[in-house]
Amino acid sequence: MTKNQEYTDKTLYLPGPTEVREEVIEAMAEPMFGHRSERMTDLYTTIVEDTKEFLDTDQDVMVLTASGTEFWEATTLNLVDDRMLVPTSGAFSERQANVAERLGKAVDRIEYEWGKAVKPEDVRETLEAGDYDAVGAVMNETSTGVRNPIEEIGEVLKEYPDTYFIVDAISCLGGDYIDIEGSGIDAIFTSTQKAFAMPPGLAVCTVSDAAYEREVASDSASWYGGFQRALDYYDRKGQTHSTPAVPLMLAYRRQMKHMLEEGHEERDRRHREMAAYTRDWAREHFGLFAEEGYRSQTVTCVENTRDIDVEATIEAVSEEYDMVFSSGYGPLTEEAFRIGHMGEHDLESIRALTDAIEDVAGL
């Protein structure tokens, strides 16, 4: 980029980050204050309690300055002594398994072809054959547009009370309703730049009583993402144990108020409507990569059945319409493209993107 070149505002239809409301961005410009002040206590306790209310959970909530990746590490370190089961069906579930292995854990995989969903009966069969400290599953595979049946997998895990259920919901929580306690989840986490429609930089995790007690009884745990360290500090001080990104938390408070006003069920309904429209459009003009019956509510992976030049189409839509969507992930770069319909988007804004794609691709 030359010094005279300027960036142009683009509307984001990525699998994250996504669009952020102007008032949420403006909230980050408030004057700075100390992270050990009463004002910080008021700010942090507000966002924690608002998050619990929005997610309709009694589980404890941690909000840390980090990407969601932090909770891949933390939940593994906090809940896995030796062995973990990770069904892999795309890039991010594979990465979750790789993280656990890098942390020295033995990891067994149930491997699925990309585009296929995890099947609860396979999880049950594997659990019957071996002992596992935890099962780690990705709720929404951003790389393939697959929405795994977390609720049904949770029903299986209820038969194994000594095995903890860890759920990566990074690209869907807040845009795809899930009953956390009802699904037997011990820890579910997300990043704020996805369906929460906030700036990047904060990670959110809920923690069951059983998961907290498991870590307390353990000889080792994550330092930064330790359940006991974070939650005990919150109980004592109403703050984070380490210096947080205060401006991001100000933005979080503003956006969470909006999310509460909309309501979790209504937000879920809006995302279902956008997903249904995008799938119908994809069926009409292309194809769908994800398995029937297991398709994401927040990102659609469109199979490139017309063999269009995906990279050139993305570039043209960006240049001509100031809209940005995504190519296929990794090996799917030209075989598919992805449309993020999450956060503050609505049916009208998604239609604007698909109209632009039709124009550029000559559909």
Side-chain angles (χ1 to χ4, degrees):
M1 170 179 285
T2 65
K3 291 184 179 179
N4 293 329
Q5 189 173 350
E6 294 182 358
Y7 289 107
T8 303
D9 288 338
K10 308 282 186 181
T11 303
L12 302 180
Y13 297 87
L14 302 170
T18 188
E19 289 293 291
V20 180
R21 293 158 62 90
E22 189 64 33
E23 64 190 83
V24 174
I25 294 173
E26 291 172 354
M28 294 191 291
E30 292 186 23
M32 191 52 54
F33 51 89
H35 69 287
R36 295 294 177 236
S37 65
E38 290 185 10
R39 186 176 176 185
M40 186 66 222
T41 301
D42 177 69
L43 172 61
Y44 190 61
T45 55
T46 297
I47 65 175
V48 166
E49 297 308 315
D50 282 356
T51 303
K52 292 173 68 173
E53 181 180 350
F54 175 79
L55 295 176
D56 191 25
T57 182
D58 291 325
Q59 290 191 2
D60 290 314
V61 167
M62 303 162 59
V63 182
L64 296 179
T65 301
S67 70
T69 304
E70 164 60 27
F71 285 119
W72 271 345
E73 290 193 337
T75 54
T76 301
L77 289 170
N78 297 346
L79 297 177
V80 180
D81 280 333
D82 301 306
R83 196 175 179 198
M84 184 177 186
L85 176 63
V86 181
T88 58
S89 58
F92 293 93
S93 49
E94 289 174 4
R95 193 176 301 177
Q96 185 177 25
N98 291 339
V99 166
E101 288 175 331
R102 288 294 299 270
L103 293 172
K105 310 304 180 183
V107 178
D108 287 350
R109 293 167 170 80
I110 307 173
E111 296 182 344
Y112 296 89
E113 179 185 350
W114 280 33
K116 301 299 182 182
V118 177
K119 305 304 187 292
E121 57 269 26
D122 294 339
V123 175
R124 174 180 280 109
E125 182 179 343
T126 307
L127 289 174
E128 287 174 353
D131 294 326
Y132 295 93
D133 296 313
V135 172
V138 171
M139 180 170 166
N140 199 74
E141 252 299 348
T142 324
S143 60
T144 62
V146 166
R147 201 285 200 181
N148 284 310
I150 294 299
E151 295 88 345
E152 296 172 37
I153 297 169
E155 287 300 314
V156 173
L157 265 293
K158 290 177 183 178
E159 301 170 21
Y160 298 85
D162 295 330
T163 301
Y164 296 91
F165 191 19
I166 300 167
V167 177
D168 165 358
I170 287 174
S171 62
C172 65
L173 196 65
D176 185 342
Y177 184 88
I178 186 163
D179 181 346
I180 296 172
E181 279 92 341
S183 301
I185 297 170
D186 291 294
I188 186 169
F189 51 90
T190 191
S191 294
T192 51
Q193 77 275 15
K194 306 281 188 173
F196 275 30
M198 302 178 195
L202 297 176
V204 183
C205 183
T206 78
V207 182
S208 72
D209 289 343
Y212 173 86
E213 292 164 4
R214 160 65 178 75
E215 190 209 287
V216 170
S218 176
D219 292 331
S220 64
S222 169
W223 174 253
Y224 188 71
F227 300 156
Q228 182 180 14
R229 185 166 180 252
L231 296 174
D232 286 5
Y233 200 93
Y234 177 73
D235 286 342
R236 294 196 311 272
K237 302 285 189 177
Q239 299 172 353
T240 57
H241 56 63
S242 300
T243 308
V246 176
L248 293 176
M249 291 194 171
L250 289 166
Y252 191 113
R253 179 173 62 183
R254 177 58 264 172
Q255 175 63 2
M256 187 51 67
K257 293 299 183 187
H258 168 71
M259 290 168 67
L260 285 169
E261 288 169 5
E262 183 177 25
H264 201 171
E265 291 186 1
E266 176 59 24
R267 199 170 179 86
D268 176 79
R269 185 206 60 77
R270 178 166 55 83
H271 281 76
R272 278 189 279 112
E273 184 179 59
M274 290 189 290
Y277 167 79
T278 309
R279 290 177 203 143
D280 287 344
W281 177 84
R283 287 188 192 97
E284 180 182 354
H285 297 288
F286 295 94
L288 289 161
F289 188 78
E291 181 178 357
E292 178 72 38
Y294 300 95
R295 288 170 179 157
S296 168
Q297 218 167 266
T298 56
V299 54
T300 294
C301 188
V302 182
E303 188 174 8
N304 184 15
T305 55
R306 288 177 177 260
D307 198 28
I308 65 170
D309 187 328
V310 171
E311 183 179 357
T313 303
I314 290 171
E315 185 175 350
V317 170
S318 175
E319 290 300 315
E320 296 176 29
Y321 290 93
D322 291 330
M323 299 175 180
V324 183
F325 62 106
S326 182
S327 63
Y329 193 92
L332 304 179
T333 299
E334 284 291 328
E335 293 181 20
F337 59 88
R338 294 172 296 157
I339 296 174
H341 33 80
M342 64 176 75
E344 295 309 300
H345 280 299
D346 56 22
L347 205 53
E348 182 179 355
S349 69
I350 299 301
R351 280 200 184 104
L353 173 66
T354 56
D355 286 348
I357 296 172
E358 287 181 33
D359 181 50
V360 167
L363 303 181

